[in-house]
Amino acid sequence: MTDNQNTGASYAAAGVDIEAGDRAVELFAPIAKKATRPEVRGGLGGFAGLFALGDYKKPLLAAASDGVGTKLAVAQAMGKHDTIGRDLVAMVVDDLVVCGAEPLFLQDYIAIGKVVPEHVAQIVSGIAEGCIDAGCALLGGETAEHPGVMEPDEYDVSATGVGVVEEDKLLGPDRVREGDVIIAMASSGLHSNGYSLARHVLLEHAALPLDEHMEDFGRTLGEELLEPTRIYAKDCLALMAESEVRTFCHVTGGGLAGNMARIMPEGLVADMDRATWTPGPIFRTIAELGRVSREEMEKTFNMGVGMVAVVAPEDRDRALAMLTARHIGAWELGVVRAAEGDEERATLRGDHPRF
């Protein structure tokens, strides 16, 4: 048998580098180990993550899964991979906390065309740092190399998080009452929604380079677009502990009114006033350059409001003071009132100042 006949097919020759994956784990393991909680059992490297639920009377487990959409295209174009992980955590844990659940742990999944250890380590490090900020553990994850299916520099990320809430503390529409106060929490920018429209307007239609310094932003366009999604989980839990919160609303795809309608019970309306805030420059830039209508902007982007708390009227001042002390921009956005006829469950009225 000749040498050529001895040279058979291999996983590496097919495009999957197991050794590169092992090197990536070595690089991100130190920061990943910091994203933990006392309830974690075992450690990284097992086939399944173990978590002790703890002492609860009637615990309800909450689960949420998400990704970061086409914001990934901006990160890949810029070769900057250390912020996407924070976006991923935010999109998951801030969904969990809406019902009052404390995020316990998260597991990630990374599909990538070719494993470059340093790139994977940057992604996972961002996820771990986000978990630390959210107070949850990074319990495990998976990195899958997909040669022939994805381009070498291409990757996608997703995650599933699990939280817990006592049954009698579960938040939701059934707690909302007429006269409740709607409090907005400022977003850090676009967060992780609407990037297909943002990229179409800014990068394709206006042909703006990602490395161009933008005076309105005080930084490059790429840096503005990659601003990480704000993680509100700890702030929301702190607010619950000190005031009467009826429910929260995470403002993602569908915009402010679309998501607020999901948390309003039948017969009540979230009456919100645009005059209470001015959307940031990134929203104005997209609207002007793309000639995007207000209706389209408001159903695609968060417009500067990333999370909403509905609180009892007597706790309005306490809630605003708490959020301010935690360095979260917050303001009274509106009130809950009785519906008139068959009107929508959430309405936005008035105009934004200077927009």
Side-chain angles (χ1 to χ4, degrees):
M1 187 177 289
T2 66
D3 289 341
N4 286 339
Q5 290 174 313
N6 280 325
T7 305
S10 69
Y11 214 11
V16 178
D17 191 341
I18 294 177
E19 291 183 358
D22 292 340
R23 290 197 300 274
V25 173
E26 291 176 7
L27 290 174
F28 67 65
I31 181 64
K33 288 178 180 177
K34 293 180 181 179
T36 189
R37 288 174 55 116
E39 301 96 330
V40 174
R41 299 292 181 264
L44 294 174
F47 284 92
L50 301 175
F51 192 96
L53 187 55
D55 186 19
Y56 292 90
K57 296 177 182 177
K58 289 187 176 180
L60 294 177
L61 293 179
S65 299
D66 214 335
V68 299
T70 60
K71 189 172 187 175
L72 284 168
V74 180
Q76 291 163 18
M78 294 184 65
K80 183 173 173 59
H81 314 290
D82 59 345
T83 59
I84 283 297
R86 296 180 63 85
D87 290 301
L88 181 62
V89 174
M91 296 303 289
V92 173
V93 300
D94 288 341
D95 273 356
L96 291 174
V97 81
V98 164
C99 68
E102 177 187 3
L104 297 177
F105 59 83
L106 181 139
Q107 290 199 306
D108 65 79
Y109 178 81
I110 302 170
I112 193 165
K114 180 177 176 57
V115 170
V116 177
E118 292 75 15
H119 292 177
V120 174
Q122 288 173 32
I123 297 168
V124 178
S125 293
I127 296 172
E129 289 169 0
C131 285
I132 292 170
D133 285 353
C136 67
L138 179 56
L139 197 58
E142 172 75 6
T143 300
E145 200 167 21
H146 290 172
V149 175
M150 305 176 77
E151 294 298 320
D153 294 334
E154 199 177 2
Y155 63 87
D156 196 5
V157 295
S158 64
T160 295
V162 173
V164 65
V165 58
E166 286 281 12
E167 186 176 37
D168 61 358
K169 293 183 179 179
L170 182 68
L171 305 182
D174 59 303
R175 289 181 177 250
V176 178
R177 300 288 181 268
E178 183 177 357
D180 285 345
V181 177
I182 302 169
I183 293 177
M185 301 180 216
S187 70
S188 57
L190 296 182
H191 282 184
S192 297
N193 295 103
Y195 273 78
S196 293
L197 178 56
R199 288 168 49 243
H200 172 71
V201 170
L202 301 174
L203 306 182
E204 297 172 16
H205 174 69
L208 297 176
L210 288 169
D211 60 357
E212 178 176 325
H213 182 84
M214 305 284 287
E215 187 175 344
D216 283 349
F217 308 149
R219 53 184 172 178
T220 67
L221 175 60
E223 289 169 335
E224 176 70 22
L225 292 177
L226 284 188
E227 176 66 35
T229 306
R230 178 165 280 160
I231 297 173
Y232 299 95
K234 282 186 176 180
D235 304 300
C236 291
L237 293 172
L239 197 61
M240 284 177 56
E242 298 294 333
S243 60
E244 182 63 32
V245 176
R246 311 297 200 194
T247 190
F248 293 105
C249 174
H250 187 198
V251 184
T252 55
L256 178 58
N259 282 283
M260 284 297 292
R262 299 167 63 184
I263 64 165
M264 286 294 111
E266 187 175 354
L268 295 181
V269 173
D271 189 353
M272 300 170 288
D273 188 357
R274 295 186 185 92
T276 60
W277 90 101
T278 302
I282 184 63
F283 302 103
R284 182 172 59 251
T285 299
I286 293 170
E288 291 177 353
L289 291 179
R291 297 181 181 178
V292 185
S293 68
R294 181 165 74 181
E295 179 185 11
E296 187 69 20
M297 289 292 296
E298 289 183 343
K299 74 179 183 181
T300 304
F301 302 107
N302 65 60
M303 298 300 288
V305 180
M307 180 72 76
V308 174
V310 179
V311 303
E314 61 270 20
D315 280 346
R316 170 195 178 276
D317 292 343
R318 180 194 297 270
L320 287 170
M322 279 194 63
L323 291 170
T324 300
R326 297 181 69 87
H327 308 290
I328 298 291
W331 64 94
E332 182 177 339
L333 178 61
V335 296
V336 177
R337 60 169 174 79
E340 299 175 359
D342 59 352
E343 68 177 320
E344 299 291 335
R345 295 190 184 189
T347 66
L348 274 167
R349 54 184 169 79
D351 294 310
H352 295 297
R354 303 181 305 280
F355 184 75

